[in-house]
């Protein structure tokens, strides 16, 4: 069974940092691109960042560019999101999601998410 | 950035009826469009990709159509488990992947 399990969320003060992790299982992790998608409480979905199969290509939403860094460790079947200079508007449930083999397209499946709360 | 606009925001439908959800792109995304279903407390689930291809395990009552800037998700006969929020997403413009604001399908 394909599984994605996020961790690392929590409460952090504005300006602080947090590192999210996503543990993948049930598939050949280094065959697939991956992304982070967030959902603020009661709001819609927002793509945050994506990375290709070997980490050689990454992309970021304008709202997080220069503050967040996506990375992966294929030996550990893990995806990461380093979040710096956090703001109140970064408060959200952060999901990791897998792209299809053909490239950066739709997301399937999604993890259940890890909650990040930025508050003083 | 390609803006995705979904309508209506809320759709009230009786069980067994047909539901038609719309998604409009601010510029052409070809057929690079997906639809997701999200129930409360759950992660989104992929329903449709390539504008019209059902994902694995998705019932035939879900169908997608359209290309360019206008897209439709149709649920032919609503079941109780279909009441949820539905999102469209374009992937024509990497790395600017964008979602619509969602349509909530509620029981009439």
């Amino acid at each position: 069974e394909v599984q994605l399990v996020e961790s690392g969320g929590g409460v952090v003060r504005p300006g602080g940092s947090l590192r999210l992790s996503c543990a993948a299982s049930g598939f050949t992790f280094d065959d697939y691109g991956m992304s982070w998608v967030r959902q603020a409480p009661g709001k819609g979905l927002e793509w945050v960042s994506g990375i290709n199969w070997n980490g050689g290509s990454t992309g970021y939403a304008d709202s997080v560019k220069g503050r967040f860094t996506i990375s992966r460790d294929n030996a550990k079947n893990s995806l990461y999101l380093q979040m710096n200079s956090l703001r109140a508007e970064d408060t959200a449930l952060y999901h990791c999601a897998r792209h299809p083999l053909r490239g950066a397209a739709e997301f399937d499946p999604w993890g259940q998410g890890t909650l990040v709360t930025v508050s003083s | 950035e390609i803006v995705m606009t979904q309508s209506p925001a809320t759709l009230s439908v009786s069980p067994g009826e047909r539901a038609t959800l719309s998604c409009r792109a601010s510029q052409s995304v070809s057929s690079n469009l997906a639809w997701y279903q999200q129930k409360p407390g759950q992660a989104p689930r992929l329903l449709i990709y390539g504008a019209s291809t059902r994902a694995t395990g998705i019932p035939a009552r879900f169908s997608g159509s359209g290309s360019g800037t206008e897209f439709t998700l149709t649920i032919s006969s609503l079941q109780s488990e279909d009441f949820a929020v539905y999102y469209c997403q374009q992937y024509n413009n990497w790395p600017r992947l964008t979602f619509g604001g969602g349509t909530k399908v509620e029981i009439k």
Side-chain angles (χ1 to χ4, degrees):
Chain A
E1 180 194 4
V2 175
Q3 267 202 315
L4 299 171
V5 179
E6 303 91 339
S7 61
V11 180
V12 62
R13 295 190 187 280
S17 297
L18 216 51
R19 189 195 196 207
L20 306 184
S21 299
C22 171
S25 60
F27 64 101
T28 305
F29 183 67
D30 55 14
D31 276 350
Y32 293 84
M34 301 289 296
S35 273
W36 290 96
V37 180
R38 69 185 179 184
Q39 188 167 29
K43 302 297 184 182
L45 301 167
E46 180 188 19
W47 175 79
V48 173
S49 180
I51 189 167
N52 75 333
W53 68 277
N54 67 354
S57 176
T58 60
Y60 299 90
D62 289 343
S63 58
V64 306
K65 193 176 296 182
R67 300 188 298 123
F68 290 11
T69 303
I70 192 171
S71 62
R72 64 189 297 160
D73 185 337
N74 287 343
K76 295 183 177 179
N77 289 344
S78 292
L79 175 72
Y80 305 102
L81 186 68
Q82 177 67 43
M83 303 186 297
N84 298 331
S85 302
L86 282 161
R87 306 166 179 168
E89 55 264 36
D90 295 318
T91 293
L93 187 66
Y94 284 73
H95 299 274
C96 66
R98 189 184 73 174
H99 287 290
L101 281 169
R102 67 184 191 282
E106 68 275 10
F107 307 103
D108 182 39
W110 300 56
Q112 288 298 314
T114 186
L115 183 62
V116 172
T117 302
V118 184
S119 174
S120 54
Chain B
E1 174 180 295
I2 298 175
V3 177
M4 307 301 292
T5 303
Q6 291 187 241
S7 62
T10 303
L11 186 62
S12 298
V13 187
S14 299
E17 288 188 342
R18 182 186 195 92
T20 303
L21 289 66
S22 295
C23 175
R24 175 177 292 177
S26 60
Q27 63 189 76
S28 176
V29 299
S30 187
S31 294
N32 296 315
L33 185 108
W35 289 93
Y36 302 88
Q37 177 194 67
Q38 188 177 33
K39 297 178 181 179
Q42 295 186 16
R45 177 175 72 144
L46 177 68
L47 299 175
I48 301 284
Y49 65 94
S52 61
T53 302
R54 275 190 303 277
T56 302
I58 301 304
R61 65 180 181 273
F62 291 92
S63 63
S65 63
S67 66
T69 63
E70 301 283 344
F71 301 88
T72 301
L73 174 69
T74 302
I75 311 171
S76 60
S77 176
L78 270 160
Q79 306 299 302
S80 57
E81 62 266 30
D82 300 336
F83 292 97
V85 179
Y86 293 83
Y87 295 95
C88 61
Q89 174 236 336
Q90 68 79 20
Y91 48 89
N92 193 62
N93 189 28
W94 172 264
R96 298 286 185 269
L97 308 180
T98 50
F99 291 89
T103 291
K104 181 180 180 180
V105 177
E106 64 177 24
I107 300 174
K108 187 175 182 179

